[in-house]
Amino acid sequence: MAQLARPRVAAARLEREILVLVSSGRARSRKEIAESLGIAPSTVSQRVQAMLASGAIEETGEGASSGGRRPRALRVPGSTGHLGVVDIGGTHARLGILRHGGELTTTTEVALAIADGPEPVLTQVTAALRELAGTASDGGRLLGVGISLPGPVDVARRALDSPSRMPGWSGFDVGTWLEDALGIPAVVENDANAMAVGEHFGHARRTRHSVSVKAGSAIGAGILVDDRLHRGTGGAAGDITHTRIPAGGDTPCSCGNRGCLETVASGAALVRLLREQGYDVAATADVLALVRDAEPVATTLTRTAGRHLGEVLCAVVNFFNPGAVYLGGALSTLEPFVSAIRSQIYEGAHPLMTRDLVIAPSALGADANLVGVGRLLEDALVPHALAG
Ligand SMILES: [Zn+2]
């Protein structure tokens, strides 16, 4: 029995992989599927033929021509449309519409206050998303919505899990609220994870294992292993910001602990340290302005912050041996910050770990979360495509 069942299991797995590629628009032809999966075109053809026969996919006859006969494009029935993607921050949301295949066609930003609680914020966001979808050039049909939130997300419950400074959000079922409001499937993800997925697939030179760090007023990180997001047991994998380091001393942290990386290496920490020295700064943007003006104290503090983050990343790189560390967030636009991280990793990590390691700035910038959560949404929509 087991031997008879095995080829069927392999075929089912291959069909699902093909369905993900085709429904997401990442592959549109047999040739692209074969290249993407690294398997023989004949194997792909056989599977595609079976899927066409069962109606799981269909042919449109409008593939991209590379000279000669025009190849037939594949698609999943009912999968034509766009994806709505939203990245919520503390004081604003960035929204976008993704075309099939992950291309961001249009974006906008709206001001909001996350502390107002989930319903006022989500009402504002869905209204803005409807308006944005309506302006898309080829109709406004949305197939699904993906949302990135600035706190620990319980992905199964599609809710935030005890976020700090976000009253009313903990345990609120964001996914169901969005589905009821918009009538389309929704996925909910933590912002560091969404960014990590966007960056991982957004760089031209690809690696299968990456760490993406966002250093802004807070610090977050996300991990991809074998091209898949690694969330960890409680969804908190990559949360390096609450690693205690000696330089943190007794400084209280937002998590209730003392001496976390966040208390010495984040934008909020730099604001605090500069204020202690009498500087009139209120937000990370003020720190950025000082460093860009080469103000010596701000520059030194920023370089030291980068060294502390680099010190923690050394342990991450040694443990995980990634192919790339991508640096995003406002602080990563500052040369003294980034060069301190680089030198700390190259000096502190084992040479085997850094030999092929790429340390690169963010490829997508402010759009990384949108592209990342869109990709997660594409994956989540496949079962709907199967059912339909
Ligand atoms: Zn902490």
Side-chain angles (χ1 to χ4, degrees):
M1 272 307 278
Q3 276 188 340
L4 278 175
R6 201 166 293 145
R8 266 215 306 274
V9 171
R13 187 178 303 150
L14 181 54
E15 285 195 10
R16 189 180 158 78
E17 285 177 1
I18 291 173
L19 214 47
V20 171
L21 288 172
V22 174
S23 73
S24 66
R26 288 170 216 156
R28 290 184 177 81
S29 65
R30 292 165 177 78
K31 182 165 171 275
E32 285 176 8
I33 294 169
E35 284 168 1
S36 212
L37 297 176
I39 57 177
S42 57
T43 310
V44 170
S45 274
Q46 196 185 7
R47 235 352 75 203
V48 164
Q49 221 48 49
M51 291 170 77
L52 287 170
S54 73
I57 54 176
E58 59 188 19
E59 280 181 314
T60 65
E62 25 174 87
S65 176
S66 52
R69 191 166 62 94
R70 183 172 283 266
R72 288 156 301 173
L74 301 167
R75 73 175 177 201
V76 173
S79 69
T80 48
H82 296 109
L83 305 179
V85 282
V86 182
D87 174 25
I88 295 192
T91 56
H92 75 281
R94 191 168 173 82
L95 295 89
I97 302 295
L98 276 179
R99 208 197 296 274
H100 226 53
E103 186 201 345
L104 206 49
T105 58
T106 172
T107 57
T108 188
E109 292 206 356
V110 293
L112 53 77
I114 201 156
D116 287 348
E119 296 203 67
V121 167
L122 294 174
T123 301
Q124 206 182 337
V125 161
T126 46
L129 191 62
R130 280 200 195 94
E131 194 180 321
L132 192 63
T135 63
S137 55
D138 40 356
R141 191 168 108 86
L142 290 180
L143 295 172
V145 58
I147 189 164
S148 143
L149 295 171
V153 168
D154 180 332
V155 172
R157 287 169 56 219
R158 299 187 299 180
L160 281 155
D161 190 352
S162 320
S164 54
R165 294 183 288 272
M166 290 176 66
W169 285 87
S170 190
F172 184 88
D173 186 342
V174 175
T176 301
W177 195 98
L178 287 173
E179 288 179 350
D180 288 347
L182 294 165
I184 48 177
V187 300
V188 181
E189 188 54 80
N190 156 263
D191 58 355
N193 282 345
M195 174 208 60
V197 172
E199 289 296 332
H200 183 87
F201 294 103
H203 286 258
R205 191 178 146 201
R206 290 280 312 282
T207 169
R208 293 180 64 80
H209 317 294
S210 73
V211 177
S212 295
V213 181
K214 182 178 183 181
S217 52
I219 297 170
I223 304 162
L224 274 94
V225 185
D226 271 326
D227 290 332
R228 298 183 71 88
L229 181 62
H230 175 73
R231 294 190 177 91
T233 305
D239 202 355
I240 55 172
T241 199
H242 299 295
T243 305
R244 287 183 85 170
I245 64 166
D250 262 346
T251 312
C253 178
S254 64
C255 71
N257 212 332
R258 286 175 183 274
C260 296
L261 178 65
E262 185 172 293
T263 67
V264 290
S266 64
L270 288 170
V271 169
R272 191 195 74 239
L273 292 166
L274 282 164
R275 288 180 72 88
E276 282 171 10
Q277 300 210 25
Y279 284 77
D280 180 23
V281 288
T284 305
D286 302 328
V287 180
L288 300 184
L290 287 175
V291 177
R292 290 199 180 113
D293 280 346
E295 199 288 324
V297 174
T299 304
T300 303
L301 286 172
T302 299
R303 191 174 289 120
T304 306
R307 259 207 298 279
H308 293 318
L309 177 53
E311 187 185 322
V312 170
L313 286 175
C314 266
V316 172
V317 165
N318 273 341
F319 178 76
F320 175 49
N321 191 195
V325 173
Y326 300 125
L327 301 173
L331 292 183
S332 300
T333 61
L334 300 175
E335 198 279 328
F337 188 74
V338 170
S339 57
I341 294 173
R342 275 179 185 281
S343 64
Q344 197 72 23
I345 292 176
Y346 282 115
E347 281 167 30
H350 189 277
L352 272 179
M353 306 296 171
T354 53
R355 193 176 57 192
D356 299 316
L357 178 69
V358 172
I359 301 175
S362 157
L364 301 176
D367 290 334
N369 295 28
L370 298 182
V371 172
V373 84
R375 189 159 177 122
L376 293 169
L377 177 61
E378 283 170 353
D379 292 346
L381 286 177
V382 173
H384 292 271
L386 266 172

